[in-house]
Amino acid sequence: MRYRPLLAILLALCLSVFALPAAAAKAPLTYDQIRNTGKAAICPSVSDNARGRIEVPKGGSLKLTDVCFQPVQIEIEEEKRNGEKEFIKAKNIMISAATLGPIKAEVTPKDGALEFKVVDGITFQPTTGQLPRRERVPFLFSVKDLVATAQGAAIDPSTDFEGEFLVPGYHSSTFLDPRGRGSNAGYDTAVGLQAAKDDFATNRKVDEVSQGKMSLRIARVDPSTGEMAGSFVSIQQSSTEQGALEPHTVRVQGLFYARLAQES
């Protein structure tokens, strides 16, 4: 009988321990709960049963917020011994920092089709893919200034957007290498014999802005919450280290998420 109070205390402690995870799951995660867990690199999801439809108003637009692009697989084009090229799967060594978002976008009707346009947000992130032979290929995973079009007058699970985006330089124009070379600052070249500098093309620093292409497929739409999700495939160029390296063609496949912005 004398152990009953002790048993009651232990039982209460056990119940509180099991109740904590359930309560924490309902409440929004704090910064400390997300930090160093990799959860910030995961886009929200939409139920697989969501097969609805969101109409795009004529003469108006849909404002999208919390747009998220999560890379899942990175492939880098390599040339084989016979001269043919193929994409080789690479390991994303920066997977916890490669997801793009939150991003704001708009969907507007244009010429009988729909136009998806990225407006603002975190639209590019430095990323590195590691090939099986240990070579590392740096590139700037980007959706900056993405403008894509799709057929139809509404967003539904059959909507496929295709368009182009801008890939800024992996390093900014004010970046200086250890020799003080840069495209807009420092020296543009750093060779001992200036008369022969044209023979050293890799010494000349240039801006490495390029274009990329993306295919964005909507697979799930929930009109009740204004959410949509799907997948994307983008093709872009890797970093040239401001003209010092030959660029690789990089193909990124991943997940997409967005929701309608609430009208204020």
Side-chain angles (χ1 to χ4, degrees), residues 56-195:
V56 180
K58 294 182 179 179
S61 64
L62 293 180
K63 307 291 185 180
L64 302 181
T65 187
D66 292 338
V67 181
C68 179
F69 293 86
Q70 176 189 339
V72 175
Q73 181 170 302
I74 295 175
E75 297 172 310
I76 299 173
E77 189 179 53
E78 286 282 276
E79 184 174 345
K80 298 189 294 185
R81 292 183 177 180
N82 59 5
E84 297 180 356
K85 295 183 178 180
E86 65 176 353
F87 282 100
I88 299 177
K89 185 177 179 181
K91 179 182 179 182
N92 183 2
I93 64 174
M94 302 178 67
I95 193 169
S96 297
T99 297
L100 300 180
I103 296 172
K104 294 181 180 180
E106 292 181 352
V107 178
T108 56
K110 186 176 181 180
D111 300 330
L114 297 178
E115 182 181 82
F116 178 96
K117 184 177 181 179
V118 169
V119 177
D120 193 13
I122 302 176
T123 57
F124 53 86
Q125 290 277 22
T127 312
T128 301
Q130 182 171 296
L131 292 169
R133 63 172 181 271
R134 313 299 292 179
E135 178 187 355
R136 292 182 176 181
V137 178
F139 66 98
L140 199 73
F141 175 46
S142 173
V143 295
K144 184 177 178 62
D145 297 338
L146 170 65
V147 178
T149 57
Q151 298 299 318
I155 299 178
D156 55 40
S158 63
T159 302
D160 295 331
F161 290 98
E162 291 188 359
E164 296 183 346
F165 56 90
L166 180 68
V167 184
Y170 187 82
H171 297 297
S172 67
S173 59
T174 58
F175 173 80
L176 297 179
D177 71 356
R179 294 187 179 183
R181 296 175 295 186
S183 59
N184 286 352
Y187 299 98
D188 60 347
T189 60
V191 295
L193 187 58
Q194 292 297 316

Side-chain angles (χ1 to χ4, degrees), residues 145-255:
D145 297 338
L146 170 65
V147 178
T149 57
Q151 298 299 318
I155 299 178
D156 55 40
S158 63
T159 302
D160 295 331
F161 290 98
E162 291 188 359
E164 296 183 346
F165 56 90
L166 180 68
V167 184
Y170 187 82
H171 297 297
S172 67
S173 59
T174 58
F175 173 80
L176 297 179
D177 71 356
R179 294 187 179 183
R181 296 175 295 186
S183 59
N184 286 352
Y187 299 98
D188 60 347
T189 60
V191 295
L193 187 58
Q194 292 297 316
K197 65 179 182 179
D198 292 339
D199 296 331
F200 299 90
T202 58
N203 271 326
R204 295 194 300 272
K205 298 301 179 181
V206 297
D207 289 333
E208 48 178 353
V209 179
S210 61
Q211 293 284 336
K213 295 183 178 180
M214 173 173 287
S215 175
L216 177 62
R217 180 177 181 273
I218 306 298
R220 297 176 296 279
V221 178
D222 190 345
S224 62
T225 61
E227 294 177 297
M228 61 191 74
S231 60
F232 72 89
V233 178
S234 68
I235 296 180
Q236 62 175 86
Q237 297 296 313
S238 67
S239 171
T240 65
E241 292 294 331
Q242 295 184 326
L245 302 175
E246 288 293 330
H248 293 267
T249 301
V250 180
R251 182 167 65 188
V252 182
Q253 303 180 49
L255 303 177

Side-chain angles (χ1 to χ4, degrees), residues 30-46:
T30 64
Y31 171 77
D32 290 333
Q33 291 173 324
I34 295 176
R35 183 170 61 93
N36 295 331
T37 63
K39 295 179 180 178
I42 300 176
C43 291
S45 59
V46 179

